[in-house]
Amino acid sequence: MGLYANIILDISHEKIDHPFSYRIPDFLQEQIQPGVGVLVPFGKGDKVRTGYVLEVTDQCAYEESRIKEIQGLSQTVAVEEKLVRLAAWMKEQYGSTMIAALKTVLPVKRKLEHKQKRTVVAALPPEDLESAYLECVRKHQTARARVLAELIQYEQIPYELVIGKLHVSKATLEALAGKGFLSIESETAYRNPGKSQAKPEEKKILSKNQNGFVELVWQDYENHRYDTYLLHGITGSGKTEVYMELISRVVEQGRKVIMLIPEIALTFQTVMRFQKRFGDRVSFINSSLSEGEKYDQCERAKKGEIDIMIGPRSALFTPFSDIGLIVIDEEHESSYKSETMPRFQTVEVARQLASYHQASLILGSATPSLESYYKAKQKEYQLYTLQERMAGGALPEVHIVDLRKELKQGNRSIFSRKLKALIEDCLEKKEQILLFLNRRGYAGFVSCRMCGFTPKCPHCDVSLSLHGTGKLMCHYCGYETVYEKKCPECSAPYMIPFKAGTQQVEEAFRKEFAAFGDIPILRLDRDTTQKKDSYETILSAFAEEKAQVLIGTQMIVKGHDFKKVTLMGILAADLSLSMQDYRAGERTFQLLTQAAGRAGRGEYPGEVVIQTYQPDHYSIVKSAAQDYESFYQEEILYRQLAAYPPVAHLLSVQFVGKQEKACEICAGKVREVIKEFAFREKILLIGPVSGAYSKLKDQYRFSLTCKAKDREKLVAVKNKIEVWMKEQEKLECSIFFDFDPIHIF
Ligand code: ADP
Ligand code: ZN
């Protein structure tokens, strides 16, 4: 029981850094806990103000004689109270400072730039625009054609969306306005939210299966049972349609909804689809908004001007006073894990938030994370499956090609004979081709080109990777072994690191298919997308058929329908299997399943070629068959045997600093601090080892991994380390915590 409370008064960016200490009077001892709103005297005149409790402690950080007392509880049930409570929970669960946690959940106050809200409105009826559109197409004025095509369909589109998502310049818009095809209308956004859309989107009649899910959730909801649901359905199976139905029911009752979508999947079509259905009551945030604009959106939410907020991870912290439903689409995406302190997992935080609000939580995915599916199997979540595609497009035909055989038969090219034949076929028919280069975990990946053998750590059962030192190493435990070209399995001299970027693939492609002349090719990877919007620019260029071939890394497999793509070539499916962590099989399955789903989305049937050195690996076989359930059965067995999440949990304690020796010593000390507790509680300690990217950005890195069946025990370990940290006069390096990390440290 603490005697003092640290309290923040105004929740605004500047003052969060300065909590004030107050004494807790006896009569409030029970009620005071993090997040609670309180009334306190402040300043010379002891004016009563509202504040929020951050922390309860035994130590007075202020002169005892001058400390003031909390007067009572604040009666306003403010939005902030739940968010501050959430921050306190996150601090405890993930390890960070309270300030960092607060800054994560509270909107940052910034000056409001009074921006004009502008809308692009069709100035002619659709029939007339149609001929203008055809004219533009004929003249190859693709940007103009793009706007007109959308205006024919939607009548009006927010200005920002035209510029930001359709990549149309201001000049183009003005030219079209000059010709009388459209007008750009403006109003002061903040005071008069835009007019509602001309034609609200018609509701689809849900299929029996879709309805089944809606009724499942709704019956619980009406009985005040706010549960978590996992909706498992392939892309196009109608999940979004189902979300919209439930969202509209919740909104009709006057409650609010948050829907999370990975930023990359928040396309023009998705935004328009929701706007058509929900008009001005829906709002979107994404990373291209300025801090001021984000704050603006939060203010609108607080004032009740919107019902639905859609956006990436951070949209979860929209300050709604009464949330009835939270939806997390593509819940398996790794962007839902925060990589800055507190390193939280969005699904877990959403569950906590949902419990504060009494809200239902829906997780949707075509390839659920092992965590979620495991919980569904344990009956912690309710599982529901949507099996068929709602709108056209049969699943493509998938061929698995054994690259070892290609090599044996003398084919040293990166294109197998099967893929080569299909590419030629496509080039002749003038259809589009996607070539996917799986580059996840490719740094340091070594395998035998003859037999597919990959060296593994005997202790951790993950792939070893080649370090600058010329040794093969395990990233979890630091196990090292010599590297030789000769394969220990088949003795062929082909144990070589894999090196290929999209550029090499393009060169090889041009050489191999030179007979077809100068084929237009686009490339999409980290290097070609340095500029902020180039990702979408490249994708829209490909969608407009400005190129016949698109070569890319994992970025090309997410979202986006290319109607003319009939062939998807996956050049080396194994690369992600070699990832030096326990999620390798899961990531590979997700990537390949998504990749396979890219072909044949239009009227043309699609074919997929998966090239691999491990054609029998279950991740590859099951993804080719689009069989999630049996993939899960195999994968969970491995997690059980090796005690990896979701069956057990990991805590990576990370030591980062400029001095190598200091980091290492610090890591060693921390190990000593927790050794006894770990032994008693059956927590496995691994390391410390130097990090995978040992000296990144001039910082040395060491990590100490703790493994336990029970997550709460790892939280206890973290707490012990935090206490120790406070006792130190000075820490020689920074210490971070990462629960169930998804990136190799
Ligand atoms: P997902 O979110 O699973 O990818 P969507 O909800 O986007 O699936 O549905 C895919 C396509 O099928 C969309 O074009 C959608 O309009 C259409 N669709 C979904 N449900 C129905 C339905 N009940 N009737 C007709 N069309 C539907
Ligand atoms: Zn190991």
Side-chain angles (χ1 to χ4, degrees):
M1 203 158 59
L3 299 172
Y4 306 97
N6 294 330
I7 287 167
I8 42 165
L9 290 176
D10 284 308
I11 303 191
S12 68
H13 181 51
E14 295 84 354
K15 287 182 185 156
I16 284 177
D17 287 350
H18 300 286
F20 296 92
S21 288
Y22 284 87
R23 198 193 334 266
I24 305 172
D26 284 346
F27 78 101
L28 285 176
Q29 282 289 348
E30 304 278 296
Q31 288 103 310
I32 299 294
Q33 42 176 300
V36 169
V38 290
L39 298 173
V40 292
F42 188 77
K44 283 230 174 74
D46 277 349
K47 208 174 143 226
V48 177
R49 292 178 63 177
T50 305
Y52 298 92
V53 178
L54 296 188
E55 201 182 16
V56 177
T57 143
D58 288 326
Q59 271 137 33
C60 181
Y62 197 66
E63 244 176 89
E64 174 72 41
S65 60
R66 288 173 57 195
I67 199 163
K68 293 172 188 172
E69 214 164 63
I70 297 173
Q71 295 189 338
L73 299 180
S74 148
Q75 289 310 311
T76 51
V77 198
V79 181
E80 281 84 4
E81 186 165 322
K82 289 198 181 89
L83 288 176
V84 174
R85 218 170 121 201
L86 190 66
W89 182 85
M90 286 164 74
K91 171 190 179 290
E92 170 71 10
Q93 289 299 312
Y94 302 105
S96 82
T97 61
M98 189 63 198
I99 307 280
L102 278 173
K103 284 186 176 170
T104 305
V105 305
L106 293 173
V108 174
K109 197 172 198 163
R110 287 283 159 83
K111 256 208 219 99
L112 250 171
E113 319 119 51
H114 264 277
K115 265 209 172 167
Q116 292 261 299
K117 178 175 172 174
R118 281 173 293 181
T119 312
V120 177
V121 184
L124 295 174
E127 310 82 70
D128 298 347
L129 286 181
E130 191 80 41
S131 53
Y133 162 75
L134 291 173
E135 176 83 8
C136 291
V137 171
R138 210 172 42 76
K139 291 190 187 155
H140 299 290
Q141 298 172 324
T142 52
R144 292 185 187 201
R146 208 150 62 225
V147 191
L148 292 175
E150 299 300 343
L151 276 180
I152 290 168
Q153 203 186 341
Y154 296 111
E155 264 182 61
Q156 38 176 291
I157 308 170
Y159 184 85
E160 310 303 326
L161 210 54
V162 176
I163 303 277
K165 294 268 178 188
L166 285 181
H167 303 285
V168 173
S169 70
K170 225 173 112 196
T172 304
L173 279 180
E174 274 159 15
L176 286 170
K179 284 181 172 284
F181 296 146
L182 55 81
S183 62
I184 301 166
E185 292 176 8
S186 58
E187 48 200 327
T188 307
Y190 200 71
R191 306 235 167 72
N192 319 310
K195 8 178 161 140
S196 45
Q197 292 294 312
K199 292 179 290 188
E201 157 118 332
E202 271 171 52
K203 265 208 227 173
K204 301 243 161 34
I205 296 167
L206 296 185
S207 70
K208 195 163 160 242
N209 206 0
Q210 285 174 312
N211 240 326
F213 182 70
V214 171
E215 288 313 320
L216 169 74
V217 177
W218 199 245
Q219 274 195 11
D220 284 350
Y221 188 94
E222 299 229 289
N223 290 321
H224 306 287
R225 186 164 169 234
Y226 306 101
D227 215 344
T228 303
Y229 307 84
L230 176 60
L231 182 59
H232 175 206
I234 56 169
T235 317
S237 61
K239 296 187 295 296
T240 309
E241 213 55 46
V242 165
Y243 305 149
M244 292 202 288
E245 174 62 26
L246 283 162
I247 289 171
S248 73
R249 290 191 188 190
V250 169
V251 167
E252 248 165 55
Q253 294 201 342
R255 302 185 74 197
K256 312 293 179 196
V257 177
I258 291 171
M259 172 151 160
L260 305 183
I261 299 187
E263 177 126 17
I264 232 169
L266 194 57
T267 57
F268 176 82
Q269 276 71 23
T270 313
V271 173
M272 289 309 286
R273 193 168 166 192
F274 276 87
Q275 241 178 20
K276 259 185 116 174
R277 178 82 173 255
F278 298 104
D280 297 325
R281 304 299 297 177
V282 59
S283 189
F284 300 85
I285 51 175
N286 60 53
S287 62
S288 67
L289 293 184
S290 69
E291 287 300 328
E293 285 169 317
K294 276 184 203 159
Y295 187 74
D296 222 53
Q297 299 285 20
C298 286
E299 284 298 290
R300 291 186 62 202
K302 234 159 113 177
K303 287 188 187 150
E305 290 177 3
I306 51 177
D307 296 323
I308 307 157
M309 179 61 92
I310 301 183
R313 193 173 74 214
S314 63
L316 184 61
F317 308 116
T318 306
F320 281 133
S321 57
D322 182 21
I323 300 166
L325 172 66
I326 301 172
V327 177
I328 304 182
D329 195 28
E330 314 263 7
E331 63 87 26
H332 63 277
E333 276 291 318
S334 55
S335 61
Y336 284 125
K337 172 83 190 282
S338 164
E339 290 301 321
T340 53
M341 301 280 274
R343 294 184 180 158
F344 64 92
Q345 176 56 53
T346 303
V347 172
E348 292 166 357
V349 179
R351 279 188 90 187
Q352 193 67 16
L353 187 66
S355 77
Y356 295 166
H357 282 268
Q358 303 206 301
S360 303
L361 173 61
I362 298 175
L363 314 174
S365 175
T367 50
S369 63
L370 260 267
E371 272 83 358
S372 294
Y373 210 72
Y374 180 71
K375 287 195 171 134
K377 292 265 172 190
Q378 307 269 14
K379 305 271 183 251
E380 232 183 292
Y381 300 164
Q382 297 191 53
L383 178 66
Y384 195 91
T385 310
L386 291 176
Q387 253 134 9
E388 297 119 44
R389 272 193 177 165
M390 290 305 296
L395 290 171
E397 190 182 343
V398 181
H399 313 273
I400 298 178
V401 173
D402 186 345
L403 286 175
R404 298 169 305 183
K405 282 193 190 142
E406 294 292 314
L407 193 64
K408 279 197 191 115
Q409 312 220 337
N411 178 11
R412 285 168 171 267
S413 137
I414 57 170
F415 304 102
S416 62
R417 288 160 298 169
K418 178 82 196 169
L419 182 57
K420 193 168 169 234
L422 289 173
I423 289 176
E424 283 170 348
D425 203 35
C426 262
L427 290 175
E428 254 156 40
K429 288 195 208 144
K430 301 260 180 277
E431 291 168 358
Q432 283 186 303
I433 301 165
L434 276 175
L435 291 177
F436 170 44
L437 182 66
N438 192 350
R439 274 183 68 179
R440 250 183 214 276
Y442 124 105
F445 168 47
V446 171
S447 78
C448 174
R449 301 299 167 78
M450 194 55 101
C451 74
F453 173 79
T454 318
K456 289 207 159 154
C457 171
H459 314 295
C460 307
D461 209 16
V462 296
S463 306
L464 298 173
S465 62
L466 188 60
H467 266 229
T469 56
K471 287 198 167 148
L472 292 171
M473 198 177 139
C474 168
H475 289 308
Y476 284 127
C477 71
Y479 168 85
E480 271 187 353
T481 181
V482 288
Y483 159 67
E484 279 178 276
K485 276 199 175 146
K486 192 173 148 199
C487 171
E489 200 69 12
C490 74
S491 305
Y494 289 121
M495 283 272 292
I496 31 185
F498 198 97
K499 276 202 199 86
T502 57
Q503 197 174 339
Q504 280 96 321
V505 174
E506 179 175 347
E507 280 159 22
F509 190 96
R510 292 205 181 280
K511 235 201 231 148
E512 190 91 46
F513 304 101
F516 289 85
D518 194 12
I519 305 155
I521 296 176
L522 282 169
R523 287 193 288 122
L524 187 70
D525 59 24
R526 284 264 171 69
D527 305 329
T528 59
T529 54
Q530 290 295 335
K531 272 195 4 224
K532 199 166 176 194
D533 280 337
S534 44
Y535 166 76
E536 289 199 42
T537 316
I538 293 171
L539 288 178
S540 16
F542 187 63
E544 282 164 21
E545 297 175 51
K546 286 191 179 146
Q548 201 174 354
V549 183
L550 176 62
I551 303 168
T553 51
Q554 35 276 5
M555 299 168 108
I556 63 170
V557 307
K558 312 247 152 98
H560 294 272
D561 288 353
F562 302 113
K563 301 276 189 280
K564 278 270 180 76
V565 170
T566 54
L567 177 62
M568 170 64 135
I570 296 163
L571 295 173
D574 317 71
L575 282 190
S576 57
L577 277 180
S578 73
M579 233 193 327
Q580 306 86 345
D581 81 78
Y582 68 88
R583 285 178 215 258
E586 180 177 6
R587 290 278 176 257
T588 302
F589 179 83
Q590 286 167 353
L591 275 172
L592 295 187
T593 308
Q594 282 175 351
R598 290 300 107 204
R601 299 300 293 275
E603 51 204 289
Y604 312 95
E607 285 189 81
V608 176
V609 177
I610 299 179
Q611 303 191 144
T612 171
Y613 293 98
Q614 302 175 65
D616 304 322
H617 192 286
Y618 63 88
S619 290
I620 289 172
V621 176
K622 305 302 183 194
S623 67
Q626 302 259 334
D627 185 354
Y628 180 86
E629 178 66 33
S630 63
F631 160 76
Y632 171 82
Q633 296 300 348
E634 297 239 13
E635 181 67 19
I636 201 74
L637 212 60
Y638 157 65
R639 306 284 177 101
Q640 267 155 356
L641 288 175
Y644 279 124
V647 182
H649 294 279
L650 299 176
L651 165 61
S652 162
V653 188
Q654 306 171 347
F655 304 84
V656 181
K658 290 231 183 297
Q659 308 290 331
E660 184 172 19
K661 203 75 210 148
C663 289
E664 198 173 359
I665 290 172
C666 189
K669 279 188 194 161
V670 166
R671 192 191 159 101
E672 283 306 306
V673 169
I674 55 177
K675 204 170 82 184
E676 216 168 286
F677 179 75
F679 180 74
R680 208 171 347 117
E681 298 289 340
K682 298 198 177 62
I683 298 166
L684 187 63
L685 292 185
I686 311 165
V689 294
S690 77
Y693 307 107
S694 180
K695 198 182 171 202
L696 204 71
K697 290 189 202 142
D698 282 336
Q699 300 262 28
Y700 288 91
R701 306 152 79 87
F702 282 82
S703 76
L704 176 62
T705 305
C706 316
K707 201 186 218 185
K709 188 120 189 56
D710 186 358
R711 193 180 183 283
E712 284 310 305
K713 284 187 183 162
L714 294 179
V715 173
V717 167
K718 180 219 74 181
N719 288 344
K720 281 199 185 315
I721 298 173
E722 279 178 339
V723 168
W724 177 82
M725 284 162 71
K726 273 198 191 136
E727 287 165 3
Q728 305 309 300
E729 250 170 41
K730 185 165 170 270
L731 279 174
E732 301 292 338
C733 65
S734 312
I735 300 179
F736 302 104
F737 300 100
D738 198 345
F739 284 85
D740 295 344
I742 57 169
H743 289 298
I744 310 161
F745 179 63

